[in-house]
């Protein structure tokens, strides 16, 4: 049944360069292997949509191959043992290749099959010099190379095939395709490491075909019957997977909903995973089963854990209610772009998903704003898609200027495109929420801090002995020069009208932050921060953002009572553990204060993971990801000791509001 196919590994000279067992391409997809498979498979198939079809169909099934029916296909034991022979003391070699021996000892070998339909299939040809060309060659026989031609196509690095090998217990796959001309191509590939059999050395890549590893089979008679395609499209058989892994199926369904919901809702993609059909027609029922919650509360590792529901709602319902907003604009570099905004007061952190024209979610981001918004950015122009495609990394989950370079120097258009996106998103959010936040209160400065010496503890003690008026200033009747016209204070306080104020944030009566500073404040005590109370609001959809509930923390005139903090933070190494001491002086008692922390770099703020946060009296506060919540503050001096999961010292910035 092998149809004259067998494995060929090229023999090497003893002096030939040896490739070890660590495969960087495979390692890139190790964290979420089944989610990575869905992303790569759906992307590849959508890129290959045939012109006479409007919907790609993708099918994922599990099955078994009888080892006795394909003796040559599973004749890999000597090569696997050869890997262990050449690297006997390498722990990674043992970890990767030892389990393969057990798989091959089974009577039936499990596999996972990925098939697409209504697609063009793959091509293979040779140029006049005899060099191989085409998408089949690029996928099976080359690394770091792609032959996709569409601007919307992903896979510009050509590393996506590693997602298939990552979940193969034998690091082996079979590819069988038929293109639109009716031509069939077939070949198996194994991705091992350089190995030794007897006194001979062999290359780590082997090919299963009837040509001696020279090229793929194109004669239908030399393709095993079970692997023949009879219509355009491609089949991928991933060998040695765990057929009965329930979690694998669940992971793939969730990944399909997370990363391709827009394409599914548009009707351009249909995915069937082991009898679970996800299409435009079934999307609602499947989403309800896997993501029943209304809100996206994921914080840590957001890209792989977020709830797609609030984003799908605004995508479907934009313009049908006041809380479902859509802003469109033609940008100089990126062309036509859209921002969908789901206004939801219960949103605990503004979040945004980014897509190109192929409607795959490329990245997610938690914004520093606290408007209460779930956002979706989509670039729909051809030139914008081409530019953003060049900015994607190998795993297609990040746009970064370092991915689009010439002579290792970032291309200016790439940097400017990312700035265009940031400006468009922030300007759009301001345009929406400025309409909804009449009577906002401007707050000068945002708590930020530069890691410093232990001497600051004494300085903070001296600072906290001052009176509240000395720390925060006495309110005056003068109006600030800022357009909000908020009242100023005396010299000890927030700003002097003759001075240039620090960057400001805007906080509504619900505590939603609309803008933030992008620079660290230098040494010395920081300006106090007003943190407004946030009244709990849970309104049914459609929400009406203008119907704001009045906070219960008001003075006799009905004005919201501000919580004002002066802050200082230092890092201290104690018994091998880095503790960050956040010192806060508060003008009043407060409960349920929430802080969002980031590690501040030269140009950006990056996420951290907090292990624990403890008050000076031993109270343990709730910590998750980069958030400390349910903080109780005393009037006057407060100290919170913070330890990070990675036990590293950071320069920290933070934002906060009172629930």
């Amino acid at each position: 049944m092998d149809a004259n196919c067998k494995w060929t590994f090229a023999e090497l000279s003893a002096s030939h360069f040896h490739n070890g067992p660590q495969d960087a391409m495979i390692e890139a997809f190790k964290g979420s292997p089944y989610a990575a498979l869905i992303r790569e498979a759906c992307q590849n198939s959508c890129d290959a949509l045939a012109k006479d079809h409007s919907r790609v169909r993708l099918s994922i099934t599990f099955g078994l191959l009888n080892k006795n029916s394909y003796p040559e296909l599973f004749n890999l034991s000597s090569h696997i043992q050869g890997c262990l022979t050449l690297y006997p003391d390498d722990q990674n070699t043992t970890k990767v290749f030892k389990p393969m021996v057990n798989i091959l000892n089974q009577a039936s070998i499990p596999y996972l099959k990925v098939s697409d339909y209504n697609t063009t299939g793959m091509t293979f040809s040779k140029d006049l010099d005899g060099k191989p060309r085409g998408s089949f060659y690029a996928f099976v026989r080359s690394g770091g190379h792609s032959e996709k031609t569409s601007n919307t196509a992903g896979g510009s690095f050509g590393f996506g095939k590693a997602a298939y090998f990552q979940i193969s217990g034998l690091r082996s796959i079979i590819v069988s395709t038929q293109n639109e001309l009716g031509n069939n191509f077939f070949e198996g590939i194994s991705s091992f490491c350089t190995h030794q059999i007897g006194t001979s050395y062999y290359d780590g890549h082997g090919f299963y075909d009837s040509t001696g590893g020279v090229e793929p089979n194109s004669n239908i008679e030399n393709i095993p019957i079970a692997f023949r395609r009879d219509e355009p499209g491609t089949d991928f058989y991933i060998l040695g997977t765990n057929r009965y892994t329930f979690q694998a199926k669940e992971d793939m369904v969730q990944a399909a909903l997370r990363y391709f919901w827009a394409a599914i809702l548009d009707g351009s993609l249909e995915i069937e995973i082991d009898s679970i059909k996800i299409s435009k027609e079934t999307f609602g029922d499947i989403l309800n089963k896997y993501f029943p919650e209304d809100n996206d509360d994921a914080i840590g590792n957001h890209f792989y854990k977020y709830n797609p529901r609030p984003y799908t709602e605004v995508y479907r319902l934009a313009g049908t209610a006041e809380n479902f907003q859509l802003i469109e604009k033609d940008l100089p570099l990126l062309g036509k772009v859209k921002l969908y905004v789901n206004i939801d007061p219960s949103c605990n952190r503004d979040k945004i998903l980014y897509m190109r024209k192929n409607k795959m979610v490329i990245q997610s981001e938690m914004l520093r704003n606290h408007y209460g918004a779930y956002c979706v950015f989509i670039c729909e122009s051809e030139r914008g898609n081409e530019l953003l495609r060049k900015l994607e990394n190998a795993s297609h989950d990040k746009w970064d200027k370092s991915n689009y370079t010439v002579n290792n120097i970032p291309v200016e258009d790439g940097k400017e495109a990312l700035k265009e996106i940031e400006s468009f998103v922030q300007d759009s959010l301001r345009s929406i929420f400025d309409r909804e936040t009449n009577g906002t209160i401007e707050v000068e400065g945002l708590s930020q801090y530069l890691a410093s010496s232990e001497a600051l503890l004494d300085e903070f003690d001296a600072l906290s002995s001052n009176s509240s008026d000395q720390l925060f200033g006495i309110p005056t009747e003068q109006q600030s020069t800022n357009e909000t016209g908020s009242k100023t204070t005396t010299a000890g306080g927030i700003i002097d009208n003759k001075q240039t104020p620090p960057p400001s944030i805007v906080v509504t009566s619900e505590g939603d932050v609309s803008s933030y500073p992008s620079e660290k404040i230098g040494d010395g005590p920081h300006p106090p921060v007003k943190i407004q109370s946030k009244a709990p609001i849970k309104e049914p959809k459609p929400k009406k953002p203008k119907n704001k509930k009045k906070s219960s923390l008001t003075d006799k005139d009905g004005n919201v009572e501000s919580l004002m903090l002066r802050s200082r933070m230092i890092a201290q190494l104690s018994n091998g553990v880095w503790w960050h001491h956040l010192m806060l002086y508060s003008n009043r008692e407060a409960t349920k204060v929430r802080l969002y922390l980031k590690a501040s770099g030269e140009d950006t703020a990056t996420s951290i993971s907090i292990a624990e946060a403890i008050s000076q009296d031993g109270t343990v506060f709730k910590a998750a990801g980069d958030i400390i919540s349910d903080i109780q503050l005393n009037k006057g001096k407060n100290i919170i000791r913070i330890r990070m999961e990675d036990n590293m010292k950071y320069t920290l910035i933070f934002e906060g509001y009172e629930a």
Side-chain angles (χ1 to χ4, degrees):
M1 288 185 144
D2 284 296
N4 299 318
C5 295
K6 61 181 181 179
W7 286 102
T8 302
F9 290 81
E11 188 172 352
L12 307 174
S13 65
S15 61
H16 196 279
F17 182 83
H18 288 187
N19 288 306
Q22 197 78 13
D23 191 318
M25 290 195 301
I26 292 177
E27 291 297 315
F29 297 99
K30 190 173 182 179
S32 302
Y34 288 97
L37 175 66
I38 286 293
R39 286 175 59 80
E40 290 298 324
C42 290
Q43 176 183 260
N44 291 339
S45 297
C46 288
D47 291 343
L49 176 66
K51 292 182 179 179
D52 56 345
H53 291 281
S54 60
R55 177 182 292 192
V56 166
R57 290 197 301 112
L58 189 78
S59 171
I60 297 178
T61 56
F62 297 89
L64 293 169
L65 287 173
N66 189 315
K67 191 172 68 172
N68 292 330
S69 298
Y70 301 93
E72 290 298 329
L73 176 60
F74 298 110
N75 186 19
L76 289 168
S77 296
S78 60
H79 296 282
I80 293 169
Q81 186 58 50
C83 296
L84 295 167
T85 298
L86 187 58
Y87 299 98
D89 300 320
D90 186 279
Q91 292 183 355
N92 193 58
T93 303
T94 302
K95 180 180 178 181
V96 172
F97 292 97
K98 198 74 173 178
M100 295 184 185
V101 176
N102 297 329
I103 293 174
L104 290 178
N105 285 334
Q106 301 175 28
S108 297
I109 308 299
Y111 67 85
L112 184 152
K113 180 183 178 183
V114 181
S115 302
D116 63 30
Y117 304 90
N118 302 336
T119 58
T120 61
M122 292 184 175
T123 60
F124 179 84
S125 62
K126 292 184 179 180
D127 62 20
L128 295 177
D129 296 327
K131 295 180 180 179
R133 292 286 184 264
S135 53
F136 190 95
Y137 159 75
F139 186 91
V140 174
R141 289 179 168 265
S142 69
H145 168 66
S146 174
E147 295 210 6
K148 297 180 180 181
T149 57
S150 168
N151 284 352
T152 60
S156 58
F157 285 82
F159 295 146
K161 63 179 71 67
Y164 297 77
F165 286 105
Q166 167 62 30
I167 62 173
S168 169
L170 295 172
R171 279 198 179 182
S172 301
I173 62 175
I174 292 173
V175 184
S176 181
T177 189
Q178 183 182 101
N179 61 30
E180 292 180 296
L181 299 177
N183 298 322
N184 286 70
F185 300 101
F186 167 88
E187 198 161 37
I189 178 173
S190 288
S191 182
F192 293 168
C193 60
T194 303
H195 51 282
Q196 181 181 3
I197 302 176
T199 59
S200 299
Y201 295 89
Y202 294 88
D203 187 75
H205 291 94
F207 300 96
Y208 175 76
D209 52 43
S210 62
T211 67
V214 175
E215 62 184 39
N217 288 358
S218 56
N219 185 335
I220 195 72
E221 297 301 322
N222 290 329
I223 299 175
I225 294 174
F227 301 114
R228 294 176 186 174
R229 283 283 303 208
D230 57 6
E231 64 177 294
T234 305
D235 295 331
F236 301 88
Y237 295 81
I238 304 173
L239 304 180
T241 55
N242 189 339
R243 182 189 179 195
Y244 301 105
T245 303
F246 171 78
Q247 192 58 48
K249 182 173 71 173
E250 297 291 288
D251 288 350
M252 287 189 284
V253 172
Q254 291 184 26
L257 295 172
R258 279 196 176 103
Y259 306 121
F260 292 94
W261 54 262
I264 295 169
L265 287 173
D266 285 351
S268 60
L269 176 63
E270 175 185 307
I271 308 170
E272 188 167 355
I273 302 172
D274 195 31
S275 76
I276 299 176
K277 184 177 180 180
I278 311 172
S279 65
K280 181 179 181 179
E281 295 74 22
T282 66
F283 183 84
D285 291 337
I286 303 297
L287 185 70
N288 289 339
K289 177 180 178 180
Y290 285 88
F291 296 98
E293 300 298 325
D294 289 334
N295 297 326
D296 174 22
D297 295 326
I299 300 294
N301 203 15
H302 181 258
F303 184 73
Y304 291 101
K305 295 182 179 180
Y306 84 90
N307 176 5
R309 178 179 292 278
Y311 309 95
T312 65
E313 286 181 350
V314 68
Y315 186 76
R316 291 186 301 109
L317 302 173
T320 63
E322 192 175 1
N323 58 300
F324 297 131
Q325 300 278 335
L326 170 61
I327 293 182
E328 302 180 71
K329 191 172 183 179
D330 199 332
L331 301 180
L333 281 175
L334 293 174
K336 184 179 180 181
V337 296
K338 294 181 178 180
L339 184 71
Y340 296 83
V341 182
N342 181 345
I343 303 171
D344 188 343
S346 64
C347 175
N348 65 358
R349 185 78 174 269
D350 292 358
K351 303 177 179 77
I352 185 169
L353 306 180
Y354 297 91
M355 303 182 194
R356 296 191 286 110
K357 193 174 182 178
N358 61 5
K359 300 295 177 68
M360 178 176 81
V361 175
I362 299 297
Q363 65 181 25
S364 71
E365 183 181 6
M366 290 184 291
L367 303 174
R368 297 186 188 181
N369 306 328
H370 296 283
Y371 292 120
Y374 300 108
C375 310
V376 180
F377 169 88
I378 302 178
C379 177
E380 294 191 336
S381 77
E382 291 294 337
R383 71 175 186 270
N385 270 282
E386 175 64 14
L387 183 52
L388 292 175
R389 185 174 68 89
K390 293 175 180 178
L391 290 167
E392 284 175 24
N393 60 357
S395 53
H396 313 297
D397 57 12
K398 183 72 174 177
W399 290 329
D400 192 275
K401 62 184 180 182
S402 63
N403 295 325
Y404 182 23
T405 62
V406 174
N407 298 324
N408 293 321
I409 299 175
V411 175
E412 195 65 28
D413 279 357
K415 295 190 292 184
E416 291 302 315
L418 296 177
K419 290 180 181 179
E420 273 192 354
I421 294 174
E422 182 179 6
S423 296
F424 169 65
V425 170
Q426 290 298 328
D427 290 347
S428 298
L429 290 176
R430 278 192 289 268
S431 73
I432 291 173
F433 288 94
D434 283 353
R435 298 196 301 265
E436 308 296 342
T437 55
N438 294 328
T440 61
I441 303 172
E442 184 167 355
V443 181
E444 308 297 340
L446 178 65
S447 287
Q448 302 187 71
Y449 189 64
L450 174 66
S452 185
S453 66
E454 296 182 42
L456 293 175
L457 286 167
D458 295 332
E459 182 182 338
F460 182 78
D461 286 335
L463 174 69
S464 63
S465 66
N466 294 329
S467 71
S468 177
D469 288 348
Q470 287 176 304
L471 285 168
F472 299 113
I474 302 171
T476 74
E477 293 304 315
Q478 292 179 301
Q479 303 296 311
S480 78
T481 56
N482 296 317
E483 62 183 16
T484 56
S486 60
K487 294 182 179 180
T488 63
T489 64
T490 56
I494 302 176
I495 64 168
D496 186 319
N497 283 339
K498 296 180 181 179
Q499 300 174 345
T500 301
S504 63
I505 57 176
V506 176
V507 183
T508 71
S509 59
E510 273 85 15
D512 303 319
V513 181
S514 66
S515 61
Y516 54 91
S518 59
E519 301 175 347
K520 295 191 296 292
I521 299 175
D523 292 334
H526 300 302
V529 176
K530 284 184 181 180
I531 302 181
Q532 301 295 345
S533 61
K534 182 175 181 180
I537 299 177
K538 180 63 177 178
E539 298 175 337
K541 292 181 174 60
K543 303 173 187 68
K544 297 181 178 180
K546 290 186 178 180
N547 289 344
K548 302 288 187 178
K549 287 190 177 181
K550 184 178 178 181
S551 170
S552 60
L553 294 176
T554 57
D555 59 22
K556 63 181 181 180
D557 297 321
N559 297 317
V560 177
E561 181 183 358
S562 299
L563 171 64
M564 302 176 68
L565 302 176
R566 186 174 288 276
S567 67
R568 175 73 74 171
M569 187 179 291
I570 68 169
Q572 183 181 35
L573 186 64
S574 176
N575 296 323
V577 178
W578 278 106
W579 288 96
H580 297 73
H581 299 266
L582 173 59
M583 295 166 284
L584 300 170
Y585 189 91
S586 176
N587 66 324
R588 65 168 173 82
E589 293 183 354
T591 59
K592 293 188 177 299
V593 172
R594 178 177 294 180
L595 300 179
Y596 296 85
L597 281 75
K598 289 285 185 182
S600 178
E602 182 177 350
D603 299 314
T604 60
T606 56
S607 297
I608 57 174
S609 183
I610 301 169
E612 58 181 325
I614 308 170
S615 72
Q616 66 263 43
D617 63 4
T619 300
V620 178
F621 299 124
K622 183 178 179 181
D626 58 359
I627 296 177
I628 305 174
S629 55
D630 295 338
I631 299 172
Q632 297 185 17
L633 295 178
N634 299 316
K635 181 178 180 179
K637 177 181 175 181
N638 300 266
I639 298 179
I640 303 174
R641 299 172 65 236
I642 304 167
R643 180 176 63 84
M644 307 303 173
E645 290 281 4
D646 57 8
N647 194 31
M648 297 289 288
K649 174 185 177 183
Y650 288 102
T651 296
L652 297 173
I653 60 176
F654 71 89
E655 314 161 23
Y657 66 85
E658 183 182 17

